[in-house]
């Protein structure tokens, strides 16, 4: 037991969780904590908007596998965090958000900058804490990190009234905590594992489907070994890219609205689907009733509430993905040898691949193509390099054409689809992995939403690379208006402002415009070696549409290869 203030206890509790960096903005209601951070040894990165602070913590968490921490004051500071918290919640990313609150006596009196952030975030967090006594802070912070990082990861919010931060008390810092009613099931039931093995061995057309849960639990190795033992093709969700190396012969890429054609076709022909750490999102499955109609579906997930929520499955297995897959692999290996590469199923996959290649539509324009740029990034960025994306057409191009080779090198907002996510997330990733090159692939619309984080990069010396596929529009919305609304472009085109090269220079960053693929290669190589954040503006044709894609509300079988099919 030691006497200290609530603010001192916050910082001490963070140190005990090995927190080395916090992303946030100080304000009146969290100044006691910031004062303690001043000489704490914890790096405090001053952001320019709280939404970006939450995204930076999120990017840090996804790149490192550790809990990211963001901080804001009460009222508008706290509400500005909300989009970032919701983004982390939808993508199961472990962050702890700490907010200041008005003094206890002022709560519920509409005090200056008071807001019920507990009420606002209850639906988008795993849990929220509001310690009303200083001595509760050590335990609440410990619980927040435990909840955020265990079971299905996710955000936790800790809201601390200002006078609680200032209050002195005898503090006890627990080594571990237990929470009644919260005991994630890590180890699967052995009978369910045995049934899964039986189903996989009886299948003639097995497919493995990896989601974000494979990445979160670091289940990549047993996932790959099962695929290779069964000689089963592998598909992923958008967030699951990286669950399986996409340069592997068994990889078909992601399924879904903007998945690859071969993945969308093969998954529908499966007679057994091993789905791991996925939530059967409508963006991945298309129409639920048409998804995998003939397959026995095995669903492995640590969150029992996800099983059967969107799609009825034949075999539910609740457990950690890595633990479960290791057990499935060991039982499979005890019963079979590696399957043959010339099986009828492998021949069928090759047949579909060749057919897809013949159907691919090539852009015959002379413009610099988004696909060219994305493939060039893949060529130049080392396998361990991290690519973040914003949300929009560039993201969909990257989903199809950027091959993720290593785990935790692909960071994108999927569940909430948050424009403005990628750039601050790239900053968080670079802070987590300073020796690894980090690139944000952006659209001009998304980048404009959080471009003020350029100031953070310059001031803090965080040299990420931003590549803007600049089509001067909300490109994905424009594509939908072109296809489904008879080219009635309502409020999607931006005009000529801003000039991204001059914008970057105004912040003290490096700005380069590339109009040919040779210019881009030169600029990108220069940016990778730069010690200053670099923005590469690449003008592209706004009518370069993403194909193949599945129209909204359709099934995966309704995939379109080009505009003439509409």
């Amino acid at each position: 037991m030691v006497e200290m203030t609530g603010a001192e206890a916050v910082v001490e509790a963070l140190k005990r969780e090995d927190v080395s960096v916090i992303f946030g903005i100080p304000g009146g209601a969290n100044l006691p904590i910031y004062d303690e951070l001043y000489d704490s040894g914890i790096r405090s990165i001053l952001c320019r908007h709280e939404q970006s602070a939450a995204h930076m913590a999120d990017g840090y968490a996804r790149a490192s596998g550790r809990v990211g921490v963001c901080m804001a004051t009460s009222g508008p500071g706290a509400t500005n965090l909300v989009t970032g918290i919701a983004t982390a919640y939808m993508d199961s990313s472990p962050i702890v958000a700490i907010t200041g609150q008005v003094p206890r006596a002022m709560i519920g009196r509409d005090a200056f900058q008071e807001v019920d952030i507990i009420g606002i975030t209850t639906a988008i967090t795993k849990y929220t804490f509001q310690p009303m006594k200083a001595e509760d802070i050590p335990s609440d912070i410990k619980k927040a990190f435990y909840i955020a990082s265990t079971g299905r990861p996710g955000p936790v919010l800790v809201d601390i009234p200002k006078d609680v931060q200032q209050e002195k008390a005898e503090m006890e810092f627990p080594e571990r905590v237990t929470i009644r009613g919260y005991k994630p099931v890590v180890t699967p039931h052995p009978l369910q594992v045995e049934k899964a093995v039986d189903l996989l061995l009886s299948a003639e057309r097995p497919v493995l489907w990896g989601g974000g849960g494979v990445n979160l639990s670091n289940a990549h190795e047993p996932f790959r070994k099962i695929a290779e033992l069964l000689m089963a093709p592998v598909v992923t969700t958008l967030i699951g890219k990286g669950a399986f190396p996409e340069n592997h012969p068994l990889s078909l890429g992601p399924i879904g609205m903007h998945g690859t054609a071969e993945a969308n076709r093969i998954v529908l022909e499966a007679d057994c689907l091993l789905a791991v750490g996925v939530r059967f999102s409508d963006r991945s499955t298309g129409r639920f009733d048409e998804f995998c109609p003939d397959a026995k579906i095995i669903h492995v997930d640590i969150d029992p509430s996800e099983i059967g929520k969107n799609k009825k499955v034949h075999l539910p297995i609740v457990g950690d993905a890595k633990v479960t897959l290791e057990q499935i692999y060991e039982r499979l290996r005890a019963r079979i040898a590696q399957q043959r590469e010339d099986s009828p199923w492998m021949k069928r996959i090759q047949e579909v691949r060749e057919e897809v290649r013949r159907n691919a539509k090539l852009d015959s324009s002379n413009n610099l193509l988004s696909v060219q740029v994305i493939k060039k990034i893949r060529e130049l960025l080392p396998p361990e390099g991290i690519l973040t994306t914003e949300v929009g057409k560039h993201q969909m191009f990257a989903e199809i054409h950027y091959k993720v080779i290593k785990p935790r090198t692909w960071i994108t907002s999927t569940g909430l689809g948050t424009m403005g996510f990628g750039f601050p997330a790239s900053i968080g990733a670079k802070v987590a992995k300073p020796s690894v090159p980090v690139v944000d692939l952006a659209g001009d619309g998304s980048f404009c939403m959080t471009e003020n984080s350029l100031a953070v990069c310059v001031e803090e010396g965080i040299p990420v690379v931003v590549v803007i596929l600049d089509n001067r529009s909300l490109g994905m919305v424009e594509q939908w208006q072109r296809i489904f609304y008879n080219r009635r472009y309502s409020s999607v085109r931006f005009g000529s402002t801003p000039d991204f090269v001059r914008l970057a220079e105004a912040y003290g960053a490096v700005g380069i415009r590339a109009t040919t693929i040779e210019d881009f290669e030169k600029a990108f190589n220069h940016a990778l070696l730069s010690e200053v954040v670099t923005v590469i503006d690449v003008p592209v044709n706004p009518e370069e549409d993403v194909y193949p894609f599945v129209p909204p509300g359709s099934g995966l079988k309704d995939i379109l290869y080009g505009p003439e099919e509409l």
Side-chain angles (χ1 to χ4, degrees), residues 6-7 10 28-33 74 98-107 117-118 129-134 137 140 158-167:
V10 171
N30 64 4
L31 276 181
I33 299 173
S74 61
I98 300 174
T99 52
Q101 184 54 275
V102 300
R104 284 168 289 188
M106 302 302 292
I107 292 176
I117 194 63
I118 296 291
F129 293 92
Q130 190 177 57
M132 298 302 280
K133 296 182 294 184
I137 287 175
D140 285 354
V158 184
D159 186 51
I160 311 175
K162 184 173 182 178
D163 59 328
V164 175
Q165 299 170 37
Q166 297 165 319
E167 184 177 68

Side-chain angles (χ1 to χ4, degrees), residues 435-479:
S435 62
V436 169
V438 178
V439 177
D440 173 43
L441 180 67
D444 45 325
S446 274
F447 184 67
C448 283
M449 292 190 174
T450 52
E451 47 85 358
N452 58 6
S453 290
L454 281 168
V456 179
C457 289
V458 172
E459 296 293 339
E460 293 283 340
I462 304 171
V464 300
V465 181
V466 180
V467 177
I468 303 175
L469 297 180
D470 184 0
N471 55 24
R472 293 289 152 177
S473 72
L474 296 170
M476 201 67 245
V477 182
E478 184 181 310
Q479 177 171 331

Side-chain angles (χ1 to χ4, degrees), residues 57-80:
D58 191 342
Y60 177 93
R62 298 194 203 198
S64 67
R66 296 172 52 78
V67 175
V69 181
C70 56
M71 191 176 297
T73 190
S74 61
T79 55
N80 281 345

Side-chain angles (χ1 to χ4, degrees), residues 215-496:
N215 292 325
L216 289 167
S217 71
N218 297 312
H220 312 91
E221 186 175 354
F223 191 62
R224 176 184 55 77
K225 288 161 74 173
I226 291 172
E228 291 175 344
L229 186 62
L230 294 173
M231 288 305 292
V234 178
V235 301
T236 69
T237 61
L238 172 56
I239 199 171
K241 282 171 74 77
F244 191 80
E246 293 189 301
N247 59 350
H248 193 288
L250 290 173
S251 173
L252 298 179
I255 61 170
M257 178 178 284
H258 293 286
T260 68
E262 51 267 50
N264 281 335
R265 289 184 55 177
I266 287 297
V267 75
L268 295 180
E269 296 183 21
D271 64 355
C272 182
L273 179 69
L274 176 59
V276 185
V278 303
R279 59 187 180 86
F280 290 83
S281 156
D282 60 308
R283 284 284 279 219
S284 293
T285 65
R287 288 173 56 98
F288 296 132
D289 59 339
E290 294 182 1
F291 181 69
C292 287
D294 303 320
K296 300 290 186 186
I297 299 177
I298 306 163
H299 187 187
V300 177
D301 205 296
I302 199 164
D303 184 353
S305 71
E306 282 297 340
I307 294 178
K309 184 175 77 176
N310 292 333
K311 177 75 178 178
K312 182 179 179 182
V313 301
H314 298 80
L315 180 59
I317 303 180
V318 178
D320 173 77
K322 184 177 182 181
V323 174
T324 304
L325 293 182
E326 284 175 343
Q327 293 189 8
I328 289 176
Y329 173 71
E330 290 303 324
R331 284 165 173 76
L332 282 171
R333 195 178 62 158
R335 293 174 60 177
I336 61 165
Q338 182 167 326
Q339 300 300 288
R340 295 166 58 93
E341 294 183 14
D342 58 352
S343 68
W345 187 217
M346 287 292 101
K347 290 178 180 175
R348 171 59 183 158
I349 290 164
Q350 187 57 33
E351 180 181 299
V352 170
R353 279 177 160 154
E354 290 172 0
E355 189 178 333
V356 167
R357 200 170 295 125
R358 287 195 299 272
N359 286 337
K361 302 296 190 298
L362 301 176
D363 191 311
S364 58
S365 71
N366 294 321
N367 294 299
L368 179 55
L369 301 177
S370 301
V371 175
Q372 286 179 285
V373 176
I374 289 168
K375 288 186 175 180
K376 183 58 72 176
I377 292 173
R378 178 65 288 172
E379 177 186 327
L380 300 176
L381 194 64
E384 67 275 13
I386 296 172
L387 185 78
T388 69
T389 83
E390 306 287 348
V391 168
K393 194 194 291 188
H394 66 281
Q395 180 193 32
M396 303 298 96
F397 274 124
E399 179 178 4
I400 298 170
H401 297 287
Y402 183 83
K403 292 186 182 301
V404 180
I405 300 169
K406 299 278 189 181
R408 296 189 183 276
T409 60
W410 165 259
I411 297 174
T412 191
S413 170
T414 61
L416 200 64
T418 307
M419 293 178 69
F421 166 81
F423 180 37
S426 72
I427 295 171
K430 184 66 177 176
V431 171
K433 301 278 186 180
S435 62
V436 169
V438 178
V439 177
D440 173 43
L441 180 67
D444 45 325
S446 274
F447 184 67
C448 283
M449 292 190 174
T450 52
E451 47 85 358
N452 58 6
S453 290
L454 281 168
V456 179
C457 289
V458 172
E459 296 293 339
E460 293 283 340
I462 304 171
V464 300
V465 181
V466 180
V467 177
I468 303 175
L469 297 180
D470 184 0
N471 55 24
R472 293 289 152 177
S473 72
L474 296 170
M476 201 67 245
V477 182
E478 184 181 310
Q479 177 171 331
W480 281 32
Q481 289 181 339
R482 181 161 39 254
I483 295 173
F484 303 119
Y485 294 87
N486 196 28
R487 290 181 173 266
R488 289 163 57 85
Y489 299 125
S490 179
S491 302
V492 291
R493 292 187 166 171
F494 292 130
S496 60

Side-chain angles (χ1 to χ4, degrees), residues 43 77 86 119 196 214 250 278 480 509 516 519:
R43 183 182 183 186
V214 176
L250 290 173
V278 303
W480 281 32
T516 66
D519 286 347

Side-chain angles (χ1 to χ4, degrees), residues 174-189:
E175 291 295 324
R176 59 183 58 186
V177 290
T178 57
I179 301 169
R180 190 171 62 179
Y182 180 73
K183 292 181 180 176
V185 175
V186 174
T187 305
H189 195 289

